[in-house]
Every structure is written in structure tokens, then in C-alpha cells.
Amino acid sequence: MKKTSIKFAVICLSLALFCCFAPQCFAHKLRLFAWQEGDQILGESKFPNGRAAKNIGVRVLDNTDKSQLLTTQTDESGNFSFSLPQGNHSQLEIVVDSGDGHRASWRIDLAGETVPSATLPQSKPVQPETKSESAAVAPKSICSGQGWDEKSLTALLETSLEKKLGPIRKELAEIREKKVTLQDILSGIGYIFGLAGLATYMKYRKNVKE
Amino acid sequence: MHISEGVLSPPILLGGGVLTVVGTAIGLKSIDYERIMTVSLLTATFFVASLIHVPLGPGNVHLIMGGLMGVVLGWSCFPAILVALFLQAIFFHYGGLMVLGVNTTIMALPALLSSLLFKSWLKRNGTRQKIAAFGAGFLSILLSALLMALVLTLSDTGFLRAAQLVVVAHIPVMIIEGLITMFVVLFLSKVQPEFLQ
């Protein structure tokens, strides 16, 4: 009995270890993350195996009073986007539901107003060189004469900054998402065997008392 | 097969919790001194099995090992699955603590039923044992999927849509689990028949 028990334990443990190193150690759940880009919220929903969660419902709630602000759907590649809802909302909660019991939510803090009032220091006029550098982003209408008017310059900076920040925000959102690590797996197995030890001890004490 | 937090309505959560408590109580009573290690080994197997994703089917499926749990453990599959799901909820964020009862019932009840159904054939040798083991693995997933669809329906999603989504997604798992259960049972009956008592 003892020898065969050990054999079985070895088999189970090797299976467990195989699982640990199986390539797709992601959580079994719907993954969702969203980030802000200018006055748009972009988001992505996927299954853990990397497959896109196609055409599933997305609900957007105000996180303080849980009122539903708008609904949308993911596209063929699991992406969705919507413009910032009207009104004053400090935090949005985005909920996706795939209809088969999986659901995920994501909270997003809104970064204040999208175009803040001009607060540029009143310094020397902008050199013409910078104009040509950022000309690709600049709509023609805001170039007036030789200089820039302060308000449109701020707006321009805002939009181009938002564009550059988009991918960074996306990466941050991806990092925030919790992933299963080897430590999680091993500590879970450790807990199970610890419980087995505890149960053995309890039964043992009972036997001794009897 | 893990239902997420916030999908189900409170009466269903409560019902699942009650069933789990009853099953776990009976299961714990049935564990004797010699079975403790067997139960914990299978708990560990169940705990990590869900990390193996099957890259087939429309959605998101993984191994469950319900059939094997039922065949080897009988009633003790309830406490085993409860512990494994609890740890999965904490470490992997699968399911959740509120839905623990429902998730345990969804996976443990079919495991128990299918093992009881095939019990007499499992003790034979040869083809009958193979069929019984495959059947237990296959049926436990099928019943789990149907139970899950039913639970989702009782909350709000339409039954047909939920059943289609869940059952279709798990067809590959049913076949794979049937095969795995068959091989493990054959192996155990040769190497260590007392595990299948």
C-alpha cells in the first residue's frame, strides 16, 4: 500500500508540475481592460487563450451612483470604444458579460476635463522651427499669422500628448490586470497538502483518544 | 465552467450554498484515515487542471476532471472540489467567493451522479470498464454544462442561448475528459486497484 501510494503521488505531482509549465497559464475568466485616449475611452476584452470576445455587450456605469450611462458592443476583434459620457463623472465602471456566466468589470478614473483652460506661462513667442516640427498634427486653422495663439497651442499640445499617452495608458492597464503566476499555483498546492496534514492530525487525535 | 461574481441572483447563490454544505458534510464523513491523501492528491489535480486550456471550440474551456474526481472519490468529491475552487478563487480569480457554493454544486453534483451511474461497470474489467470510465468523464461535463445553463437561466440569460453557449463550448472538453478518465481508470485498476474502491 505504501509503495503504490508513493507511486501515485509521484504521478499526480508530475501532472501538477506539467500543468504549471503549460504554456497558457492565464486565468479562466473574461479579461477586460480599458484606457482613456483624449475624449474617448478605448477598451479590449479577451478570453484567456487570447481569443477575442466578439460581439458581447458592454455596459458603462457611473461608479458612484451605479447608474447606467450607455451600452455598446465589442467588435470582431474584441475592441470597443465610446466617447466620454456627458456630465460630471469621476469614475466609470465598465462591465462586459459574455452570456455564459463570465463577466468582468474595469474601473477607470477620468482625468478631469479633457481640455483644461490655458495655463501656459506667458513667455517668449514660439519659434517658427517648432511650428514645422509639429505641423503634421496641427490643423491648419490654428496657425494665424507668424505666431500661435495660446489657446490653440494648448489644445494642440493636449491632443498630441493624448495621442502619445494612449499606448502607455494601454500598457499600464494591461499591467494592472492580474495574471496567474507560478507562485500562485505552488502556494495553492501547498495549501491543499497542508489541509491534508491537518485532516490527518485531527483523525489521528481522534483515534488516539478512542 | 466557473461562473463569475455578480451574475447570479441571491436565491440561487443560497441554494447552491446549501447543496454544497450538505454534500461537503456527507463527503467529509466518508473520508477515513486512509483516504485523506487520495482526496488531497485529487484536489491538487483538480486545482491545477483548470490551467490547461483546450484550444478548441468557440470560447474559453479548460480541463475540469469532474469525472475522475467522482469515480475515485465518490461523495468526498464535494469537499475536494470546494477546497480547490476556494483556492482558485483566491489565487487565480476564477469565479468568486460568493458564487463558491453554486460553482461547487455545478461541478461536484454531476461528478457524483455520473460515478454512481457507472459504478457497477467500473469494477469490471475490459471493455465495460473502459466504456464506464469514458462515460463518467463525458457525462459529468455534459451534466455540469446543463446545470450551469439552468443556473444562468434561473438568473436571467435565456436558457437556449446559455445552454448553446455552454454546452457547445464544452463538447471538446467532454471528449477529452472522457478519454483522460478512461486512461487514468485503466492505469489505476492495473497499478493500484484500491484507489477505485
Side-chain angles (χ1 to χ4, degrees), chain A residues 45-64:
Chain A
S45 183
K46 278 183 173 173
F47 287 114
N49 53 9
R51 215 172 281 202
K54 293 179 200 168
N55 306 325
I56 63 171
V58 180
R59 289 185 300 135
V60 182
L61 315 169
D62 184 312
N63 198 33
T64 39

Side-chain angles (χ1 to χ4, degrees), chain A residues 39-41 70 81-86:
Chain A
D39 58 350
Q40 290 264 313
I41 302 281
L70 57 102
S81 69
F82 54 88
S83 355
L84 277 180
Q86 297 291 314

Side-chain angles (χ1 to χ4, degrees), chain A residues 83-202:
Chain A
S83 355
L84 277 180
Q86 297 291 314
N88 238 340
H89 308 289
S90 57
Q91 197 182 43
L92 296 180
E93 185 173 18
I94 302 167
V95 179
V96 290
D97 194 331
S98 60
D100 62 351
H102 293 115
R103 174 202 190 107
S105 66
W106 184 266
R107 283 184 189 156
I108 189 162
D109 288 312
L110 296 185
E113 293 170 51
T114 41
V115 184
S117 49
T119 45
L120 276 188
Q122 296 203 336
S123 56
K124 53 192 171 181
V126 180
Q127 298 302 309
E129 285 89 57
T130 50
K131 197 203 286 182
S132 61
E133 200 184 332
S134 49
V137 208
K140 276 177 192 166
S141 58
I142 58 169
C143 311
S144 57
Q146 322 132 301
W148 291 80
D149 109 53
E150 206 170 88
K151 224 175 182 180
S152 45
L153 180 63
T154 320
L156 174 67
L157 277 175
E158 277 296 321
T159 41
S160 95
L161 200 61
E162 280 297 336
K163 248 184 204 161
K164 295 262 190 268
L165 277 177
I168 295 171
R169 288 212 170 116
K170 182 182 175 186
E171 243 170 68
L172 276 176
E174 272 174 316
I175 289 169
R176 229 174 81 190
E177 189 198 27
K178 285 194 179 99
K179 287 191 176 132
V180 176
T181 62
L182 190 59
Q183 279 99 315
D184 292 333
I185 299 165
L186 293 182
S187 39
I189 296 173
Y191 268 103
I192 291 168
F193 286 109
L195 279 178
L198 194 68
T200 315
Y201 176 68
M202 305 279 267

Side-chain angles (χ1 to χ4, degrees), chain B:
Chain B
M1 194 142 282
H2 303 65
I3 296 180
S4 307
E5 206 88 80
V7 176
L8 300 176
S9 59
I12 293 175
L13 294 177
L14 199 68
V18 169
L19 281 175
T20 300
V21 167
V22 172
T24 308
I26 299 175
L28 281 177
K29 281 222 162 146
S30 73
I31 303 177
D32 57 19
Y33 206 58
E34 314 230 308
R35 298 285 284 170
I36 290 176
M37 265 341 262
T38 316
V39 174
S40 64
L41 284 172
L42 273 142
T43 309
T45 311
F46 181 92
F47 174 69
V48 288
S50 53
L51 291 172
I52 305 179
H53 288 264
V54 182
L56 291 168
N60 171 33
V61 288
H62 58 75
L63 292 186
I64 293 155
M65 297 284 178
L68 186 63
M69 304 283 285
V71 166
V72 180
L73 299 180
W75 275 98
S76 352
C77 71
F78 262 97
I81 290 178
L82 176 67
V83 168
L85 284 179
F86 175 74
L87 292 171
Q88 284 179 347
I90 291 179
F91 288 115
F92 305 162
H93 304 269
Y94 290 13
L97 295 180
M98 291 290 285
V99 279
L100 198 58
V102 176
N103 279 337
T104 308
T105 308
I106 285 177
M107 290 184 236
L109 197 60
L112 179 69
L113 289 180
S114 54
S115 77
L116 290 179
L117 197 65
F118 289 102
K119 205 174 182 178
S120 54
W121 277 25
L122 277 170
K123 293 195 172 133
R124 312 245 184 148
N125 284 326
T127 325
R128 283 195 175 176
Q129 191 184 35
K130 278 185 204 165
I131 293 173
F134 182 86
F138 188 91
L139 195 67
S140 76
I141 307 298
L142 179 63
L143 289 179
S144 288
L146 288 175
L147 198 55
M148 185 169 166
L150 182 72
V151 163
L152 288 174
T153 313
L154 291 175
S155 282
D156 68 23
T157 329
F159 179 74
L160 213 58
R161 184 176 136 73
Q164 272 171 351
L165 277 172
V166 178
V167 175
V168 169
H170 283 87
I171 288 174
V173 190
M174 290 173 206
I175 296 166
I176 291 170
E177 294 249 330
L179 291 175
I180 289 179
T181 313
M182 188 172 86
F183 284 121
V184 175
V185 167
L186 284 184
F187 176 78
L188 283 178
S189 68
K190 276 181 199 141
V191 180
Q192 195 161 18
E194 68 264 29
F195 261 94
L196 298 174
Q197 293 309 302

